[in-house]
Amino acid sequence: MQETEKIRVRFAPSPTGDPHVGVIRQALWTWLYAKKMDGQFILRIEDTDQTRYVEGAVERIQNSLKWLGIKWDEGPDIGGPYGPYFQSQRKHLYKDAAERLIEDGFAYRCFATPDELREMREKQQAAKLPPRYDGRYRNYPKIDAQKRAAAGESCVIRFAMPQEGSTSFSDLLRGEITFENKELDDFVILKSDGFPTYHLAHVVDDTAMKISHVTRGEEWIPSTPRHVQLFNALGYKIPTWVHAPVILGPDGGKLSKRHGAKFVLEYAEEGYLSDALFNFLAITGWALDDHTEIFSRKRLTEVFDLKDLSKNPSGFDQTKLEWMNGLYLREMEEDDLVSIFVQRLEHDLPAEIPRPINWALVKELTPLVRERIKLLSELSSLVGFFFTSDIPTPATEEFLTKKWKDRSGDASEALKFTANDLEPLIDWNAEDIQQTMRNTAEKLETRAGDFFSLTRIAVTGTRVSPPLFESMEIIGQELCINRIRRASNSLRNTTDS
RNA sequence: GGCCCCAUCGUCUAACGGUUAGGACGCGAGGUUUUCAACCUCGAAAUCGGAGUUCGAUUCUCCGUGGGGUCACCA
């Protein structure tokens, strides 16, 4: 019974480079479905094209998945009952299948050279015909083909597509899709180097691995009739097909590396949270209802369903991802966030700052900054001044904006008063610091805001910073007063122009 | 170009054939405020076009149009 069969799905990338968000979203949806259905999620490496193999790609793929919390139940590193999980290690299976197809009259050897085929296509195109294999070896005597192959002549094996009628299949999302067989040519199933093409390989493997749902990008729709024919010719059961939408680049075309980060691990480096990217990827192209969009992984494994995927390709809304990342940063459990912050600062803070990073300090400043950043990469520049006893005094121009324009003397005075008023403070806490400084401002007949901004620059070194008084409390009395005095002195030595 | 898929605010999307077409990001206005954020309120913003079917189409059908995919000894 189909209904009672175990759900087994797979993610089957080829190791040609880093997986970008489009392919990883595909993996993510597939994984969610496996979890929801209490099935198995298999990772299989489709390395049948040795010319495109990229060193380290398998590791990058695995690391991308791991970073997102997508664990496979069977795969190249952990094995499983249907291994091996590298197609390059299953060559004999494809060869056997191809030979069986020849035996049964579904396939034949083709000795056309690449040059010959290229020439053929050029002629077709010159004649304004669609480029396609013309079947020149389709009726070549089997005995002769056998002889030439045995003699070591290079050849490929092609599938003999039916030339009449049509092939239909049902897609979970799109329903019935039909192609005229005459539109399809005799495609290669086994290459001259003995490796299979994708068409043969995945049909053989998906069957051998008992894959119940073939999930893949919609770009595969046009070759699905070939797969249907292959499944049938081999006597295999047709799986359920799910051709999911793809992600479009910001330019409307295919996702391109020119526009910002593209690879999953780049998002990690840029300071996105795994949970946030996961959530975001899950809901671009899928929705539960008309209002929910924040989901934990666990919740998603309960409510997600492949059949609810959107049919149309989606753009990648980078801005919304950033918003969502900020949201996760704000809502995360504080202790978890502290440890993420520490980790990030270890990595991002300038080398001069001694390691290990002071955990207690990070814990203190976390509440001050967590809602001020969208990306972890923004953290170190925002909090750097907490970690060094010796910030460089900002340039005069930094201080003399707005109310203080051309008033370096006044600014210097104001800071001097602040330092003096702050010095006797016994209980160094944000509230008292604020009160003291408000008094100072009043005394100087200066608007508090203008006055605070001056102090902010002196203490933090920047015009934009975490809340001033809380920051000052953390930095400590002595250091704050030093910085303010230093700023005051530097301003006094400036002549207004 | 042939074939195939798709079509709701700028973007991601929701809507048993009956809703003032909903939400979110972003954007604009206001509020809050020591900077920046965050937060709150309000606002602008969409059913690609044309025929049908129907008492009634975002929804079903057809035709256009637009976008995307695919036509390899790549996946």
Side-chain angles (χ1 to χ4, degrees), chain A residues 214-237:
Chain A
V214 172
T215 58
R216 53 175 27 166
E218 63 180 325
E219 70 271 19
W220 288 104
I221 292 175
S223 47
T224 305
R226 294 174 166 156
H227 306 155
V228 172
Q229 291 293 338
L230 229 23
F231 272 102
N232 288 155
L234 256 3
Y236 294 161
K237 187 170 150 278

Tab-separated table of all heavy atoms in Angstrom, chain A residues 214-237:
chain	number	residue	atom	x	y	z
A	214	VAL	N	10.518	12.241	-5.123
A	214	VAL	CA	11.651	12.894	-5.767
A	214	VAL	C	11.400	14.393	-5.749
A	214	VAL	O	10.531	14.901	-6.460
A	214	VAL	CB	11.829	12.400	-7.213
A	214	VAL	CG1	12.878	13.229	-7.934
A	214	VAL	CG2	12.216	10.923	-7.218
A	215	THR	N	12.126	15.079	-4.888
A	215	THR	CA	11.980	16.531	-4.820
A	215	THR	C	13.161	17.166	-5.529
A	215	THR	O	14.305	16.750	-5.354
A	215	THR	CB	11.970	17.013	-3.357
A	215	THR	OG1	13.183	16.602	-2.720
A	215	THR	CG2	10.815	16.404	-2.588
A	216	ARG	N	12.896	18.117	-6.344
A	216	ARG	CA	13.964	18.769	-7.108
A	216	ARG	C	13.423	20.069	-7.663
A	216	ARG	O	12.238	20.367	-7.539
A	216	ARG	CB	14.429	17.851	-8.233
A	216	ARG	CG	13.293	17.440	-8.996
A	216	ARG	CD	13.079	16.655	-10.221
A	216	ARG	NE	13.931	15.671	-10.697
A	216	ARG	CZ	13.612	14.781	-11.653
A	216	ARG	NH1	12.414	14.789	-12.210
A	216	ARG	NH2	14.488	13.920	-12.075
A	217	GLY	N	14.283	20.837	-8.299
A	217	GLY	CA	13.871	22.123	-8.839
A	217	GLY	C	13.037	21.956	-10.097
A	217	GLY	O	13.120	20.941	-10.783
A	218	GLU	N	12.256	22.958	-10.390
A	218	GLU	CA	11.351	22.859	-11.533
A	218	GLU	C	12.086	22.821	-12.866
A	218	GLU	O	11.496	22.513	-13.899
A	218	GLU	CB	10.362	24.018	-11.529
A	218	GLU	CG	11.010	25.386	-11.667
A	218	GLU	CD	9.962	26.509	-11.667
A	218	GLU	OE1	8.882	26.280	-12.209
A	218	GLU	OE2	10.248	27.584	-11.113
A	219	GLU	N	13.381	23.118	-12.846
A	219	GLU	CA	14.123	23.046	-14.098
A	219	GLU	C	14.208	21.617	-14.622
A	219	GLU	O	14.620	21.378	-15.745
A	219	GLU	CB	15.530	23.638	-13.931
A	219	GLU	CG	16.484	22.833	-13.069
A	219	GLU	CD	16.411	23.197	-11.590
A	219	GLU	OE1	15.384	23.794	-11.179
A	219	GLU	OE2	17.357	22.890	-10.840
A	220	TRP	N	13.808	20.671	-13.763
A	220	TRP	CA	13.846	19.275	-14.190
A	220	TRP	C	12.593	18.820	-14.904
A	220	TRP	O	12.546	17.713	-15.442
A	220	TRP	CB	14.098	18.370	-12.981
A	220	TRP	CG	15.497	18.476	-12.485
A	220	TRP	CD1	15.935	19.137	-11.379
A	220	TRP	CD2	16.658	17.947	-13.124
A	220	TRP	NE1	17.290	19.049	-11.282
A	220	TRP	CE2	17.758	18.318	-12.352
A	220	TRP	CE3	16.861	17.200	-14.289
A	220	TRP	CZ2	19.062	17.976	-12.685
A	220	TRP	CZ3	18.158	16.848	-14.629
A	220	TRP	CH2	19.243	17.243	-13.826
A	221	ILE	N	11.593	19.638	-14.901
A	221	ILE	CA	10.334	19.224	-15.521
A	221	ILE	C	10.518	18.750	-16.974
A	221	ILE	O	10.019	17.690	-17.330
A	221	ILE	CB	9.274	20.350	-15.429
A	221	ILE	CG1	8.861	20.545	-13.976
A	221	ILE	CG2	8.050	20.013	-16.284
A	221	ILE	CD1	7.910	21.703	-13.745
A	222	PRO	N	11.249	19.501	-17.788
A	222	PRO	CA	11.365	19.079	-19.181
A	222	PRO	C	12.043	17.727	-19.388
A	222	PRO	O	11.841	17.103	-20.425
A	222	PRO	CB	12.202	20.195	-19.825
A	222	PRO	CG	12.009	21.367	-18.938
A	222	PRO	CD	11.882	20.803	-17.560
A	223	SER	N	12.835	17.275	-18.429
A	223	SER	CA	13.447	15.963	-18.669
A	223	SER	C	12.744	14.844	-17.902
A	223	SER	O	13.141	13.688	-17.990
A	223	SER	CB	14.941	15.992	-18.374
A	223	SER	OG	15.216	16.607	-17.161
A	224	THR	N	11.710	15.191	-17.194
A	224	THR	CA	10.988	14.160	-16.454
A	224	THR	C	10.368	13.071	-17.354
A	224	THR	O	10.406	11.899	-16.979
A	224	THR	CB	9.940	14.795	-15.530
A	224	THR	OG1	10.594	15.738	-14.679
A	224	THR	CG2	9.258	13.754	-14.672
A	225	PRO	N	9.836	13.416	-18.523
A	225	PRO	CA	9.312	12.328	-19.367
A	225	PRO	C	10.376	11.278	-19.692
A	225	PRO	O	10.070	10.090	-19.818
A	225	PRO	CB	8.831	13.047	-20.628
A	225	PRO	CG	9.335	14.443	-20.536
A	225	PRO	CD	9.538	14.727	-19.093
A	226	ARG	N	11.606	11.711	-19.792
A	226	ARG	CA	12.681	10.744	-20.014
A	226	ARG	C	12.804	9.810	-18.819
A	226	ARG	O	13.021	8.606	-18.968
A	226	ARG	CB	14.010	11.472	-20.197
A	226	ARG	CG	14.040	12.289	-21.455
A	226	ARG	CD	15.290	13.111	-21.539
A	226	ARG	NE	15.428	13.610	-22.900
A	226	ARG	CZ	16.115	14.687	-23.237
A	226	ARG	NH1	16.754	15.357	-22.302
A	226	ARG	NH2	16.173	15.070	-24.482
A	227	HIS	N	12.676	10.402	-17.665
A	227	HIS	CA	12.804	9.599	-16.454
A	227	HIS	C	11.646	8.622	-16.333
A	227	HIS	O	11.824	7.482	-15.900
A	227	HIS	CB	12.908	10.511	-15.228
A	227	HIS	CG	14.009	11.529	-15.371
A	227	HIS	ND1	14.027	12.731	-14.727
A	227	HIS	CD2	15.126	11.516	-16.154
A	227	HIS	CE1	15.115	13.411	-15.072
A	227	HIS	NE2	15.786	12.690	-15.942
A	228	VAL	N	10.476	9.084	-16.739
A	228	VAL	CA	9.310	8.197	-16.711
A	228	VAL	C	9.583	6.991	-17.600
A	228	VAL	O	9.378	5.837	-17.197
A	228	VAL	CB	8.055	8.940	-17.220
A	228	VAL	CG1	6.887	7.964	-17.383
A	228	VAL	CG2	7.674	10.058	-16.264
A	229	GLN	N	10.083	7.250	-18.793
A	229	GLN	CA	10.388	6.171	-19.721
A	229	GLN	C	11.431	5.223	-19.135
A	229	GLN	O	11.339	4.012	-19.285
A	229	GLN	CB	10.889	6.745	-21.049
A	229	GLN	CG	9.824	7.476	-21.848
A	229	GLN	CD	8.735	6.536	-22.355
A	229	GLN	OE1	8.939	5.330	-22.471
A	229	GLN	NE2	7.557	7.093	-22.644
A	230	LEU	N	12.396	5.799	-18.498
A	230	LEU	CA	13.464	5.001	-17.900
A	230	LEU	C	12.926	4.114	-16.769
A	230	LEU	O	13.238	2.923	-16.695
A	230	LEU	CB	14.526	5.957	-17.365
A	230	LEU	CG	16.022	5.803	-17.660
A	230	LEU	CD1	16.316	5.009	-18.921
A	230	LEU	CD2	16.673	7.183	-17.716
A	231	PHE	N	12.142	4.723	-15.903
A	231	PHE	CA	11.543	3.948	-14.815
A	231	PHE	C	10.755	2.771	-15.383
A	231	PHE	O	10.884	1.634	-14.929
A	231	PHE	CB	10.595	4.827	-13.977
A	231	PHE	CG	11.271	5.564	-12.855
A	231	PHE	CD1	11.579	6.921	-12.968
A	231	PHE	CD2	11.593	4.920	-11.667
A	231	PHE	CE1	12.189	7.608	-11.931
A	231	PHE	CE2	12.205	5.606	-10.612
A	231	PHE	CZ	12.507	6.953	-10.758
A	232	ASN	N	9.958	3.058	-16.388
A	232	ASN	CA	9.119	2.018	-16.991
A	232	ASN	C	9.946	0.935	-17.661
A	232	ASN	O	9.687	-0.261	-17.474
A	232	ASN	CB	8.153	2.644	-18.010
A	232	ASN	CG	7.059	3.444	-17.321
A	232	ASN	OD1	6.488	4.360	-17.902
A	232	ASN	ND2	6.782	3.135	-16.057
A	233	ALA	N	10.943	1.355	-18.443
A	233	ALA	CA	11.750	0.388	-19.172
A	233	ALA	C	12.485	-0.542	-18.206
A	233	ALA	O	12.683	-1.719	-18.481
A	233	ALA	CB	12.740	1.111	-20.079
A	234	LEU	N	12.870	0.011	-17.081
A	234	LEU	CA	13.605	-0.780	-16.095
A	234	LEU	C	12.662	-1.596	-15.205
A	234	LEU	O	13.114	-2.397	-14.391
A	234	LEU	CB	14.423	0.170	-15.215
A	234	LEU	CG	15.944	0.350	-15.356
A	234	LEU	CD1	16.567	-0.434	-16.493
A	234	LEU	CD2	16.327	1.812	-15.425
A	235	GLY	N	11.379	-1.329	-15.378
A	235	GLY	CA	10.408	-2.043	-14.567
A	235	GLY	C	10.330	-1.509	-13.144
A	235	GLY	O	9.949	-2.220	-12.219
A	236	TYR	N	10.707	-0.265	-12.972
A	236	TYR	CA	10.688	0.335	-11.640
A	236	TYR	C	9.380	1.064	-11.383
A	236	TYR	O	8.723	1.533	-12.302
A	236	TYR	CB	11.820	1.361	-11.498
A	236	TYR	CG	13.215	0.791	-11.546
A	236	TYR	CD1	14.287	1.637	-11.823
A	236	TYR	CD2	13.463	-0.562	-11.308
A	236	TYR	CE1	15.583	1.151	-11.866
A	236	TYR	CE2	14.764	-1.058	-11.354
A	236	TYR	CZ	15.818	-0.191	-11.634
A	236	TYR	OH	17.087	-0.667	-11.675
A	237	LYS	N	9.097	1.211	-10.121
A	237	LYS	CA	7.894	1.941	-9.728
A	237	LYS	C	8.165	3.449	-9.782
A	237	LYS	O	9.207	3.923	-9.320
A	237	LYS	CB	7.522	1.528	-8.304
A	237	LYS	CG	6.220	2.071	-7.824
A	237	LYS	CD	5.830	1.400	-6.499
A	237	LYS	CE	5.012	2.327	-5.645
A	237	LYS	NZ	5.784	3.283	-4.868
